[in-house]
Amino acid sequence: MSTTTLTVPVTVAEHQACPATVVLRRAGEKWPGLILSLLRDRSYGYNELDRAVEGLSRRVLTRTLRTLERDGLVSRTVHEGRPPRVEYALTGLGRSLQEQLRALALWAVEHDGEIRAARARFDGA
Amino acid sequence: MSTTTLTVPVTVAEHQACPATVVLRRAGEKWPGLILSLLRDRSYGYNELDRAVEGLSRRVLTRTLRTLERDGLVSRTVHEGRPPRVEYALTGLGRSLQEQLRALALWAVEHDGEIRAARARFDGA
DNA sequence: CGGGATCCTTTTAGATACTG
DNA sequence: CAGTATCTAAAAGGATCCCG
């Protein structure tokens, strides 16, 4: 059994360079988590994603997909033909991350009541 | 055994209101994750945190602590005396979230190489 | 259909100075 | 010691128009 030691970075540079920080920040962005959730069930075309997610602008959708692709989380496959179709799907790495994010999402849903209660208490006082 | 179904919100409003989104966004902010990591081992005083985290401005530190406190993740205890001391510590809820975030951080560290390789591939092409 | 380019608004973070 | 107030900078998100 292997033990992984996770040291806490304390300087700005270390913190910013830490892979954990980078992943957390990416996950905390507005759309990537939602895109990864959708792709969990099946692959999507570009406009299909655009329609599936109301309120997401094409600029941001494109930027989000490029970033996910660059990080190896999502694959982009071009199918020639009429009309052309570009297919986005989770990679193995993407699926792996999606599962981690899902665990965090489940935590959030489970503890939502506690958080709301804490806020009510704080705001009341 | 209970089954929790996690539906994917598709509209902007749903997505923004979803507790999972809120938690992810908070976790993705620049400092909360680091603060929670530090508090995992022991409690800290205000200036102690300020010194421990190089490059974090007091304004942001205060705001971060207030938010964590409001969400019930961190407790703030005032010890009267000379000099006065305010002690910040994880609550049970905070500890619970910290463990989740730690799991994600471990994932990030484990898969950092894959992500970097994917980026190199993408940038090369 | 599947984008890229340009311009603008909102959100988040940081610098600096001051206070009970 | 433990903050607050004010102001500025940077990053994320969005609207709109154009193109192969």
Side-chain angles (χ1 to χ4, degrees):
Chain A
M1 182 173 283
S2 80
T3 305
T4 305
T5 307
L6 193 54
T7 55
V8 178
V10 172
T11 67
V12 209
E14 283 168 355
H15 182 242
Q16 298 300 77
C18 176
T21 303
V22 174
V23 167
L24 266 174
R25 287 187 74 86
R26 169 96 56 253
E29 285 167 18
K30 198 164 179 179
W31 302 109
L34 180 49
I35 302 289
L36 292 179
S37 288
L38 286 171
L39 294 179
R40 175 175 175 246
D41 297 323
R42 61 179 180 90
S43 63
Y44 278 76
Y46 180 89
N47 275 326
E48 197 180 7
L49 275 176
D50 191 30
R51 280 189 304 272
V53 187
E54 268 181 69
L56 170 57
S57 74
R58 302 164 73 79
R59 179 195 189 286
V60 175
L61 174 58
T62 298
R63 213 184 59 80
T64 301
L65 288 171
R66 285 289 166 279
T67 305
L68 293 174
E69 187 195 354
R70 185 172 113 94
D71 286 353
L73 301 168
V74 159
S75 66
R76 176 178 180 276
T77 311
V78 180
H79 300 283
E80 307 287 355
R82 305 264 49 180
R85 177 185 159 85
V86 176
E87 186 181 359
Y88 291 95
L90 282 188
T91 61
L93 189 62
R95 189 163 300 278
S96 163
L97 176 58
Q98 207 282 317
E99 279 160 21
Q100 293 292 325
L101 294 183
R102 185 178 160 77
L104 193 54
L106 284 169
W107 184 94
V109 170
E110 272 171 36
H111 297 274
D112 187 42
E114 286 175 69
I115 293 177
R116 285 181 194 281
R119 283 184 193 158
R121 231 175 294 124
F122 185 92
D123 294 343
Chain B
M1 183 173 279
S2 80
T3 305
T4 305
T5 307
L6 193 55
T7 55
V8 178
V10 173
T11 67
V12 209
E14 282 168 355
H15 182 243
Q16 298 300 76
C18 177
T21 302
V22 174
V23 168
L24 266 174
R25 288 187 74 85
R26 170 94 55 250
E29 284 167 18
K30 197 165 181 177
W31 302 109
L34 180 50
I35 302 290
L36 292 178
S37 289
L38 286 172
L39 294 179
R40 175 175 175 246
D41 298 322
R42 61 179 182 90
S43 62
Y44 279 76
Y46 181 88
N47 275 329
E48 197 179 7
L49 275 176
D50 191 29
R51 280 189 305 270
V53 187
E54 267 180 69
L56 170 58
S57 74
R58 304 163 73 77
R59 180 193 188 286
V60 175
L61 175 59
T62 298
R63 212 186 57 81
T64 301
L65 288 170
R66 284 288 168 281
T67 306
L68 293 174
E69 186 194 354
R70 184 172 112 95
D71 286 353
L73 301 169
V74 158
S75 66
R76 175 178 180 275
T77 311
V78 180
H79 300 284
E80 306 289 353
R82 302 264 53 180
R85 177 184 158 85
V86 177
E87 185 181 1
Y88 290 95
L90 282 188
T91 61
L93 189 62
R95 188 163 300 278
S96 163
L97 176 57
Q98 208 281 319
E99 279 160 21
Q100 293 292 323
L101 294 182
R102 184 177 160 77
L104 193 53
L106 283 170
W107 183 95
V109 171
E110 272 172 36
H111 296 273
D112 188 41
E114 286 176 70
I115 293 177
R116 286 181 195 280
R119 283 184 193 158
R121 231 176 292 126
F122 185 92
D123 294 344

